[in-house]
């Protein structure tokens, strides 16, 4: 994609005449000056509103509550010793990993179903399935809340109507944990469906035909043709989604606000409670910084995948 | 004798192809019914949102009968919202913030993508990687240091803070999409223009932007989605009624104390969800093409 100057317009061919080299070099220099100027706003955003706040956040996390004294890693060690924070760590990992797995499996199934019906109504089906992903998450989470409302929830009415017991969806730890994962899966599965559908469509039909001639059944085609062809996109989508899901805020904030008894807090919502609501900014910064090494690990793997893919294309 | 075997073989072949077709038919019907089940599951919350928005407060608080269906439909909730000055304010704030965010993000992304994909310079590869690495620092990691920074800039509780911060969410991905689209334009095109004496700006505006229009639409939709739906930054940095945007306004203003005006809340959600749904209805194909441009290559 963005290579070095070797492939840029107007350069690349060695020129024999020395005088022309000089003017070309001047042209080249002018080109790179223009190029840098065009990139400046982007660089400003990355440095000013991404990199600098991150570094400043790291500094903040090492201050005491009143931000008057440098206390090193005390905030981090304090948090690691707290029962609540251990629960946050556990819940964040459980939430991200299981939600991403559910989304990937559901997206894979949906993509196959969509691929099976290839027809003129494909757009309509796809549009209907995309609705969860299109509605702003904070608004659709409100409707989930109302669906699960403890006093007069539509789900509980249906359960009673079918002759089952009422369930306290948001009042018990494991129910609430399951519900936030469910809502995240509902929201994110359409994205996986789109990505996997595109990957499915890019598998050449000849491969399937060749597999059929060799006597492969549907299951064997899936294992030996589809999955290897989709491996890259499956990995990249899942890793990307892991980052986004780890950093999720809206669902838990609106649906449970961390409750019952802090069992559903994620890094983001706990950092908000500690940092903004209780006003302990350094400790809140420390909470959210715990995400950084985890996300860095994921990003390392994505980047490796992207680079490998770019090499394959070139 | 030979004719009968041929007939038999043909008959067998016909029955086999018939069973294959039947098998195919079954697979098709299976897919359709499974998809129908998924659509029903996926659309339950929006459906319930719409149903509740049409209910009167009396019907909701009576807690009787089937909650899935509205018994005496009313558009009162919508009328009340549309005529309420505070709701108008949220909607208007969301609209202008989103418009500005789209314009700013797209300008930054298009210029940078053009430079990175065509005018390579020392370090352009590093910047392209840096754009990607910004995903490492999601808003939920940045909002606390930004809270301090926004405080210094005196922008706390001011809607303009979103115009400053939302582009950080939209620009990396928009740049990524645009690099992909610009990269797919054949180099011969701009080399020819360069030989004819066109400047880089002319190449960008007269060749690249028109040719990459589908990509621009895709990136614009993404920027719009961010500007319209983001929740964390407005929740952390805005407090007063007249500064709020739609997402936070609905959550914090309509939910006051223990009284939940669910009919009104759901009506507000319907209104808030409508602009994105409309946009996706008409421009979904562009967005999906932009999103999956990389996927199909791999």
């Amino acid at each position: 994609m963005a290579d070095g100057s070797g492939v840029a317009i107007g350069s690349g061919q060695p020129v024999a005449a020395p005088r022309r080299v000089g003017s070309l070099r001047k042209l080249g220099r002018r080109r790179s000056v223009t190029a840098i100027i065009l990139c400046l706003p982007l660089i400003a955003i990355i440095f000013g509103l991404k990199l600098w706040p991150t570094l400043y956040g790291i500094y903040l996390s090492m201050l005491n509550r009143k931000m008057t004294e440098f206390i090193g890693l005390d905030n981090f060690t304090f948090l690691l010793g707290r029962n609540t924070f251990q629960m946050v760590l556990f819940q964040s990992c459980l939430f991200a990993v299981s939600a991403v797995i559910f989304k990937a499996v559901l997206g894979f199934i949906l993509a196959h179903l969509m691929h099976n019906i290839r027809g003129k109504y494909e757009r309509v089906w796809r549009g209907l399935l995309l609705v969860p992903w299109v509605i702003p998450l904070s608004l659709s989470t409100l409707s989930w809340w109302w669906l699960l409302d403890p006093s007069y929830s539509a789900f509980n009415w249906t359960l009673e109507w079918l002759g089952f017991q009422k369930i306290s969806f948001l009042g018990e730890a494991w129910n609430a944990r399951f519900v936030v994962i469910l809502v995240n899966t509902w929201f994110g599965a359409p994205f996986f469906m789109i990505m996997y559908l595109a990957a499915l469509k890019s598998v050449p039909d000849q491969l399937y035909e060749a597999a059929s001639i060799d006597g492969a059944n549907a299951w064997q085609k899936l294992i030996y043709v589809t999955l290897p062809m989709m491996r890259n996109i499956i990995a990249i989508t899942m890793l990307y989604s892991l980052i986004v899901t780890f950093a999720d805020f809206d669902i838990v904030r609106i649906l449970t606000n961390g409750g019952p008894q802090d069992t559903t807090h994620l890094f983001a919502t706990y950092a908000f409670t500690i940092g903004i609501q209780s006003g302990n900014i350094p400790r809140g910064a420390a909470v959210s910084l715990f995400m950084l090494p985890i996300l860095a690990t994921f990003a390392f793997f994505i980047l490796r995948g992207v680079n490998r893919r770019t090499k394959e294309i070139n | 004798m030979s004719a009968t075997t041929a007939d038999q073989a043909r008959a067998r072949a016909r029955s086999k192809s018939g069973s294959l077709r039947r098998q195919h038919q079954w697979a098709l019907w299976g897919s359709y019914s499974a998809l129908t089940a998924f659509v029903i599951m996926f659309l339950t919350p929006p459906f319930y949102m719409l149903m509740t928005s049409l209910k009167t407060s009396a019907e909701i608080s009576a807690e009787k009968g089937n909650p899935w269906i509205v018994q005496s439909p009313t558009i009162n909730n919508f009328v009340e919202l549309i005529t309420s000055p505070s709701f108008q304010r949220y909607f208007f704030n969301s609209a202008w913030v989103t418009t500005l965010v789209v314009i700013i993000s797209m300008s930054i992304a298009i210029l940078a993508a053009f430079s990175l994909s065509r005018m390579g310079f020392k370090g352009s590869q590093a910047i392209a990687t840096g754009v990607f690495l910004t995903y490492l620092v999601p808003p939920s990691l940045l909002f606390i240091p930004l809270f301090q920074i926004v405080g210094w800039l005196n922008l706390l509780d001011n809607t303009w803070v979103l115009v400053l911060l939302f582009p950080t969410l939209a620009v990396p991905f928009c740049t990524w999409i645009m690099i992909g689209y610009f990269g797919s334009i054949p180099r011969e095109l701009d080399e020819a223009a360069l030989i004819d004496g066109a400047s880089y700006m002319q190449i960008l505006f007269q060749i690249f932007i028109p040719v990459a229009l589908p990509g621009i639409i895709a990136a614009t939709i993404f920027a719009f989605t961010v500007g319209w739906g983001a929740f964390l930054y407005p929740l952390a940095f805005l407090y007063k009624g007249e500064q709020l945007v739609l997402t936070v306004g609905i959550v914090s203003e309509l939910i006051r104390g223990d009284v939940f005006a669910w009919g009104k809340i759901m009506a507000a959600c319907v209104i808030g969800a409508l602009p994105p749904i409309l946009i996706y209805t008409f421009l979904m194909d562009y967005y999906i093409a932009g999103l999956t441009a990389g996927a199909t290559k791999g």
Side-chain angles (χ1 to χ4, degrees):
Chain A
M1 287 180 195
D3 331 62
S5 54
V7 281
I9 314 163
S11 74
Q13 295 295 318
V15 183
R19 209 180 295 154
R20 279 192 64 199
V21 169
S23 72
L24 258 186
R25 200 175 291 148
K26 211 185 288 164
L27 194 82
R29 207 177 308 132
R30 212 177 62 207
R31 191 194 63 220
S32 41
V33 169
T34 324
I36 292 174
I37 291 173
L38 292 184
C39 269
L40 271 184
L42 177 75
I43 297 171
I45 278 198
I46 293 179
F47 276 86
L49 294 171
K50 287 275 187 180
L51 188 65
W52 179 52
T54 313
L55 297 176
Y56 180 61
I58 295 174
Y59 167 74
L60 263 182
S61 69
M62 298 187 207
L63 300 179
N64 68 350
R65 183 176 182 138
K66 287 186 179 135
M67 290 188 269
T68 49
E69 223 178 299
F70 187 81
I71 55 167
L73 295 176
D74 281 8
N75 276 324
F76 294 93
T77 47
F78 174 85
L79 280 170
L80 280 174
R82 282 278 296 265
N83 210 349
T84 315
F85 185 74
Q86 288 161 3
M87 221 144 62
V88 171
L89 245 159
F90 166 75
Q91 167 65 9
S92 294
C93 295
L94 178 81
F95 174 80
V97 172
S98 49
V100 168
I101 291 175
F102 286 148
K103 283 186 273 194
V105 170
L106 205 60
F108 194 75
I109 295 172
L110 283 169
H112 269 276
L113 294 174
M114 289 292 294
H115 196 55
N116 279 348
I117 62 158
R118 287 174 259 215
K120 57 178 173 177
Y121 294 117
E122 192 186 319
R123 278 193 85 241
V124 178
W125 285 102
R126 196 179 55 183
L128 288 174
L129 289 169
L130 271 180
V131 168
W133 193 56
V134 168
I135 302 176
L137 183 54
S138 53
L139 303 184
S140 53
T141 307
L142 277 175
S143 75
W144 274 99
W145 190 13
W146 177 222
L147 272 171
L148 302 160
D149 183 83
S151 60
Y152 178 58
S153 92
F155 280 166
N156 269 334
W157 182 88
T158 315
L159 281 178
E160 280 198 320
W161 186 69
L162 293 169
F164 293 101
Q165 288 277 310
K166 269 189 178 183
I167 297 175
S168 168
F169 289 105
L170 301 174
E172 276 166 43
W174 281 103
N175 286 349
R177 281 178 176 146
F178 175 75
V179 164
V180 288
I181 292 168
L182 175 81
V183 176
N184 188 279
T185 308
W186 171 83
F187 170 70
F191 170 73
F192 277 80
M193 177 191 77
I194 295 177
M195 299 305 279
Y196 290 173
L197 186 58
L200 271 182
K201 281 181 175 165
S202 71
V203 180
D205 277 338
Q206 292 97 307
L207 291 183
Y208 292 112
E209 281 161 23
S212 304
I213 291 167
D214 288 344
N217 58 31
W219 178 249
Q220 284 167 326
K221 280 186 208 165
L222 179 74
I223 300 287
Y224 296 110
V225 181
T226 316
L227 281 180
M229 290 300 286
M230 286 175 67
R231 204 185 60 200
N232 236 328
I233 192 67
I234 289 179
I236 292 177
T237 313
M238 281 183 80
L239 285 166
Y240 169 76
S241 175
L242 260 179
I243 290 185
V244 177
T245 314
F246 240 102
D248 196 76
F249 175 82
D250 304 10
I251 296 175
V252 170
R253 170 74 199 175
I254 293 175
L255 214 51
T256 65
N257 199 5
Q261 281 104 45
D262 296 328
T263 46
T264 54
H265 261 313
L266 306 175
F267 285 121
T269 51
Y270 193 57
F272 191 91
T273 314
I274 299 274
I276 307 280
Q277 285 185 322
S278 317
N280 192 342
I281 286 185
R283 192 165 290 156
V287 170
S288 55
L289 274 174
F290 271 97
M291 276 191 278
L292 197 57
I294 303 173
L295 298 184
T297 318
F298 298 147
F300 169 75
F301 284 109
I302 303 185
L303 213 56
R304 217 175 52 169
V306 170
N307 280 340
R308 198 179 293 157
R309 210 187 65 201
T310 326
K311 268 182 209 136
E312 274 165 17
I313 295 167
N314 290 340
Chain B
M1 171 81 184
S2 65
T4 38
T5 31
D7 275 351
Q8 274 172 358
R10 212 173 293 138
R12 218 179 299 132
R14 202 181 304 130
S15 86
K16 199 178 172 204
S17 88
S19 86
L20 261 182
R21 197 177 303 135
R22 216 173 305 133
Q23 222 178 330
H24 187 71
Q25 276 294 323
W26 272 110
L28 203 59
W29 282 116
S31 298
Y32 275 122
S33 40
L35 276 177
T36 312
F38 276 117
V39 166
I40 291 173
M41 276 196 281
F42 276 27
L43 292 187
T44 301
F47 170 78
Y48 194 52
M49 189 195 276
L50 192 65
M51 278 299 138
T52 310
S53 71
L54 298 171
K55 289 179 185 174
T56 59
S57 307
E59 185 179 338
I60 293 170
S61 54
E63 304 193 1
K64 281 195 189 93
N66 188 341
W68 293 100
I69 291 160
V70 51
Q71 268 125 37
S72 46
T74 165
I75 55 161
N76 258 347
N77 292 321
F78 289 95
V79 174
E80 269 176 49
L81 280 174
I82 289 169
T83 51
S84 130
S86 62
F87 189 78
Q88 286 169 354
R89 187 83 217 163
Y90 308 149
F91 196 92
F92 175 69
N93 280 347
S94 268
W96 72 256
V97 164
T98 308
T99 314
L100 280 179
V101 167
V102 166
I103 293 171
I104 294 172
S105 310
M106 287 311 293
S107 314
I108 297 176
I110 288 175
L111 292 180
F114 180 65
S115 159
L116 289 173
S117 66
R118 275 308 207 268
M119 308 176 63
F121 54 94
K122 247 189 204 144
S124 58
Q125 183 67 56
I127 293 177
T129 310
V131 170
F132 173 79
L133 284 180
T134 52
Y135 283 112
L136 266 183
V137 279
S140 43
L141 206 151
L142 289 176
F143 72 96
I144 288 180
L146 279 175
F147 185 79
Q148 292 291 102
I149 294 169
V150 165
W152 294 336
L153 296 173
N154 246 334
L155 281 173
L156 267 185
D157 205 10
N158 183 336
T159 319
W160 281 94
V161 69
L162 303 181
V163 179
L164 178 72
L165 293 179
F166 279 172
T168 62
L169 309 177
V171 163
F173 192 67
C174 292
T175 311
W176 204 244
I177 292 182
M178 291 321 299
I179 288 180
Y181 270 87
F182 285 167
S184 68
I185 297 175
R187 285 181 189 281
E188 289 79 24
L189 209 60
D190 39 272
E191 273 164 17
L194 213 61
I195 289 168
D196 287 344
S199 71
Y200 279 107
M201 285 301 106
Q202 279 172 318
I203 294 177
L204 173 61
F205 283 102
Q206 290 174 9
I207 301 179
F208 274 61
I209 289 180
V211 172
L213 202 60
I216 291 176
I217 295 175
T220 304
I221 296 175
F222 179 78
F224 167 83
T225 314
V226 167
W228 190 262
F231 181 64
L232 173 54
Y233 282 166
L235 184 71
F237 304 139
L238 304 177
Y239 312 100
K240 269 205 298 289
E242 77 256 32
Q243 300 291 339
L244 296 182
V245 290
L246 208 54
T247 45
V248 195
I250 294 172
V251 174
S252 59
E253 285 285 295
L254 290 176
I255 301 175
R256 274 279 157 86
D258 297 335
V259 185
F260 292 82
W262 277 113
K264 230 162 133 184
I265 295 173
M266 289 295 113
C269 289
V270 170
I271 297 176
L274 221 50
I277 287 182
L278 279 177
I279 286 183
Y280 277 88
T281 309
F282 292 108
L283 299 172
M284 182 172 68
D285 291 329
Y286 291 105
Y287 190 51
I288 291 175
L291 203 63
T292 56
T296 40
K297 273 188 224 155

